[in-house]
């Protein structure tokens, strides 16, 4: 088996340990799987993030440990070329929403989300990607190239007939609204934005990287973050999908990687890192708004074999809330806020990838900048959207079960609360299940800046 991702970080995993149970084939990929010691922590109905598919089914095969056991069975078979020949394994991996709960809560930080990416890439060696999954993989590029497709999405959401046909032909769940492109997507009018507030002796530059999810679907988030940083006295270098001179939009590659298109995602990552390279050399913080894309710089890009520049970028990449929390600690973030503009209590839902890197602590610190505000956090596992999982006909029941474990009941129980959620997919799931639109942290902070 030839791996598509770089698993060399696991080269020494389990070496010399007679109990490591490393499969006979798979090289470093097999060692990455073998970090699982089958402790059973992923097969408990506990609070935390891990593991939504096990929680709704109680099926051991649908836990991270159960998937590891099935993968090992395949990799221990003689003359196996790729780990895709077991229907039981196919079904188990199909139910994984790549939430990274195991990466955070497993004692050995099993990275099942990345393992699933490798698994999907191996499957593509033997079969073609379905039309539906190809549309999911390339939708940011298609929407940038053919803006008229946004009208088709709106028609589909308003026509039961179109939704039915999409379900029948593409297996896109008719009962779930598709995300709609904003009437006016975000388009930057320049590359550099000077500070809007003068602070004596203060001269700091940051990079604000706005991904396709933000610019296409939630442009107000990008505008709010830009205003927030400039009013805090920072010079902002802005990078968005249109920053590159290349006709292809500058994208993170998240949608490609989620479908197992590793080579295509690697090409996108190289382009983005090339665009970021001048800022990386100057050690400018790289700030992002969408957890699933920004955190690729710290996680998935390290597995794409992109060398030193990826390692440097990983050290600079920060979610907006992480940047604000660190700058506040260092005495450099001094904006004043007027929480009197916010009368309703705030209820916060965290994206799984935020939770996986511990960024919810930064969310708390950022929201504490708003004095006398009633803020509470929802304790829940994955919302069930899981990228495109919650849009797929065959997964809609499981997706809604995951959302109903704790997230939806907590939201329904707080009809007066103002919902805050930084994840694009999470926000879409909340809207589909409750009809309520959450806001990004950037919007909340920008709206409460103290009037000068």
């Amino acid at each position: 088996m030839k791996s598509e991702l770089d698993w060399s970080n696991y080269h020494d995993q389990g070496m010399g340990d007679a109990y490591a149970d490393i499969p006979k084939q798979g090289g470093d990929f097999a060692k990455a799987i073998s970090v699982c010691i089958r402790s059973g922590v992923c097969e408990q109905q506990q609070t935390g993030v891990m593991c939504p598919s096990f929680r709704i089914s109680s099926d051991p095969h649908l836990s991270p440990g159960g998937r590891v056991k099935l993968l090992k069975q395949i990799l221990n078979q003689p003359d196996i070329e790729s780990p895709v020949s077991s229907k039981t394994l196919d079904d188990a991996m199909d139910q994984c929403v790549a939430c990274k709960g195991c990466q955070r809560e497993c004692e050995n930080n099993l990275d099942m989300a990345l393992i699933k990416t490798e698994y999907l890439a191996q499957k593509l060696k033997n079969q073609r990607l379905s039309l539906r999954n190809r549309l999911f993989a390339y939708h940011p590029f298609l929407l940038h190239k053919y803006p008229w497709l946004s009208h088709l999405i709106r028609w589909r959401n308003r026509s039961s007939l179109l939704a039915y046909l999409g379900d029948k032909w593409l297996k896109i769940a008719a009962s779930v609204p598709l995300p709609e492109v904003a009437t006016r997507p975000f388009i930057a009018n320049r590359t550099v934005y000077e500070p809007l507030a003068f602070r004596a002796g203060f001269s700091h530059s940051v990079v604000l990287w706005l991904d396709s999810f933000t610019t296409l679907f939630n442009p107000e988030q990008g505008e709010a973050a830009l205003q927030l940083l400039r009013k805090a006295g920072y010079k902002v270098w802005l990078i968005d999908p249109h920053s590159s001179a290349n006709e292809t939009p500058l994208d993170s590659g998240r949608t490609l990687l989620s479908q197992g298109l590793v080579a295509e995602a690697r090409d996108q990552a190289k382009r983005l890192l090339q665009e970021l390279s001048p800022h990386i050399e100057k050690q400018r913080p790289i700030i992002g708004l969408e957890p699933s894309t920004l955190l690729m710089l710290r996680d998935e890009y390290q597995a794409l074999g992109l060398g030193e520049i990826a390692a440097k970028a990983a050290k600079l990449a920060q979610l907006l809330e992480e940047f604000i929390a660190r700058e506040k600690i260092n005495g450099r973030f001094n904006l004043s806020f007027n929480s009197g503009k916010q009368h309703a209590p705030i209820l916060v839902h965290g994206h799984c990838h935020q939770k996986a890197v511990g960024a919810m602590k930064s969310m708390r610190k950022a929201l504490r900048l708003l004095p006398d505000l009633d803020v509470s956090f929802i304790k829940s596992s994955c919302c069930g959207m899981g990228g495109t999982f919650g849009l797929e006909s065959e997964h809609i029941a499981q997706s809604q079960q995951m959302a109903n474990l704790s997230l939806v009941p907590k939201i329904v129980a707080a009809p007066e609360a103002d919902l805050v959620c930084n994840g694009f997919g999470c926000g879409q799931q909340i809207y589909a299940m409750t009809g309520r639109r959450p806001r990004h942290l950037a919007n909340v902070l920008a709206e409460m800046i103290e009037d000068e």
Side-chain angles (χ1 to χ4, degrees):
M1 170 188 159
K2 182 182 181 300
S3 298
E4 294 300 305
L5 293 168
D6 179 3
W7 298 94
S8 59
N9 283 345
Y10 293 90
H11 180 70
D12 297 326
Q13 172 68 37
M15 298 300 289
D17 182 355
Y19 300 97
D21 190 27
I22 299 172
K24 298 175 183 178
Q25 302 185 67
D28 291 339
F29 173 61
K31 295 173 185 176
I33 293 169
S34 297
V35 304
C36 172
I37 57 174
R38 297 290 286 147
S39 68
V41 69
C42 58
E43 296 178 8
Q44 298 177 15
Q45 297 288 354
Q46 58 186 16
T47 58
V49 183
M50 189 168 65
C51 167
S53 54
F54 174 78
R55 287 187 184 186
I56 63 171
S57 67
S58 297
D59 183 347
H61 283 155
L62 301 187
S63 69
R67 294 181 179 105
V68 164
K69 183 178 179 180
L70 294 170
L71 282 165
K72 284 184 175 181
Q73 290 173 359
I74 294 295
L75 291 175
N76 277 320
Q77 292 179 8
D79 304 321
I80 190 73
E81 293 184 1
S82 61
V84 295
S85 59
S86 161
K87 185 180 185 307
T88 305
L89 174 60
D90 282 350
D91 293 341
M93 296 302 288
D94 181 59
Q95 297 295 318
C96 173
V97 292
C99 68
K100 296 185 183 287
C102 44
Q103 188 179 13
R104 176 169 176 79
E105 296 177 3
C106 166
E107 306 99 314
N108 286 357
N109 307 117
L110 177 73
D111 195 348
M112 184 53 67
L114 200 62
I115 289 170
K116 181 177 180 178
T117 300
E118 180 69 60
Y119 165 82
L120 291 174
Q122 294 296 324
K123 284 192 70 174
L124 290 179
K125 293 180 179 180
N126 300 318
Q127 64 184 61
R128 290 174 59 86
L129 200 62
S130 70
L131 175 58
R132 179 193 68 185
N133 289 9
R134 188 164 289 277
L135 288 172
F136 284 153
Y138 287 98
H139 83 264
F141 309 96
L142 294 170
L143 289 170
H144 279 295
K145 188 173 182 180
Y146 306 109
W148 57 266
L149 287 173
S150 62
H151 300 299
L152 182 59
I153 293 173
R154 289 191 182 91
W155 293 336
R156 179 267 181 199
N157 283 349
R158 289 155 181 77
S159 167
S160 57
L161 175 60
L162 288 179
Y164 167 78
L165 293 175
D167 200 326
K168 181 178 177 63
W169 293 339
L170 296 173
K171 301 299 181 185
I172 296 175
S175 60
V176 181
L178 294 176
E180 295 186 8
V181 177
T183 306
R184 296 179 62 185
F186 185 99
I187 298 179
N189 53 26
R190 55 187 183 274
T191 304
V192 185
Y193 292 79
E194 296 296 332
L196 291 175
F198 172 75
R199 293 167 58 185
F202 186 86
S203 178
H204 288 270
S205 295
V206 300
V207 178
L208 178 60
W209 167 39
L210 300 182
D211 61 284
S212 295
F213 294 123
T214 301
T215 56
L216 286 170
F217 299 98
N218 296 304
E220 73 286 350
Q221 296 176 7
E223 293 162 1
L226 182 59
Q227 290 294 99
L228 182 69
L229 292 168
R230 294 178 71 196
K231 287 187 176 182
Y234 296 92
K235 181 178 182 178
V236 181
W237 296 78
L238 194 135
I239 292 179
D240 70 355
H242 299 285
S243 294
S244 174
N246 192 306
E247 186 176 322
T248 303
L250 197 65
D251 190 77
S252 67
R254 163 57 70 189
T255 56
L256 297 167
L257 202 64
S258 295
Q259 301 296 335
L261 297 169
V262 173
E264 293 85 344
R266 184 181 291 114
D267 289 341
Q268 290 300 314
K270 287 178 180 178
R271 293 182 61 233
L272 178 60
L273 289 172
Q274 181 61 38
E275 193 71 28
L276 289 169
S277 60
H279 306 291
I280 293 171
E281 292 306 313
K282 293 184 182 296
Q283 295 286 296
R284 291 177 181 138
I286 303 168
I287 301 170
L289 305 182
E290 167 57 36
S292 70
T293 54
L294 183 280
L295 293 173
M296 290 183 75
L297 291 173
R298 300 217 307 248
D299 192 345
E300 287 88 349
Y301 279 20
Q302 309 310 300
L304 291 174
L306 300 174
E308 185 179 1
I309 189 171
K312 289 181 178 179
K315 295 177 181 178
L316 297 170
Q318 303 173 51
L319 291 166
L320 177 67
E321 57 270 24
E322 294 177 311
F323 174 77
I324 291 173
R326 290 172 187 174
E327 290 292 281
K328 185 65 178 177
I329 291 172
N330 293 327
R332 293 193 292 262
F333 194 90
N334 296 319
L335 266 181
S336 295
F337 296 92
N338 179 8
S339 61
K341 298 179 179 181
Q342 172 72 29
H343 302 290
I346 286 180
L347 188 61
V348 183
H349 169 66
H351 188 285
C352 290
H353 295 187
Q354 276 180 296
K355 295 173 183 175
V357 300
M360 296 311 293
K361 293 180 181 178
S362 296
M363 283 286 284
R364 291 180 185 276
K365 291 176 181 177
L367 286 167
R368 282 177 190 155
L369 298 175
L370 308 174
D372 305 318
L373 201 62
D374 181 7
V375 179
S376 58
F377 286 72
I378 298 172
K379 292 182 179 179
S380 70
S381 183
C382 179
C383 70
M385 183 54 70
T388 59
F389 186 86
L391 301 176
E392 297 162 4
S393 300
E394 69 273 24
H395 295 140
I396 187 64
Q398 294 92 331
S399 170
Q400 294 182 354
Q401 281 181 276
M402 291 176 188
N404 281 317
L405 282 173
S406 56
L407 175 60
V408 169
K410 292 288 178 61
I411 292 175
V412 171
E416 77 290 352
D418 189 3
L419 302 179
V420 174
C421 170
N422 285 6
F424 170 69
C426 304
Q428 187 64 24
Q429 180 76 321
I430 289 171
Y431 173 68
M433 297 284 292
T434 70
R436 296 167 67 180
R437 291 277 191 191
R439 295 191 297 158
H440 194 281
L441 174 70
N443 297 93
V444 175
L445 294 179
E447 289 174 9
M448 295 193 205
I449 296 174
E450 188 75 55
D451 294 331
E452 296 180 2

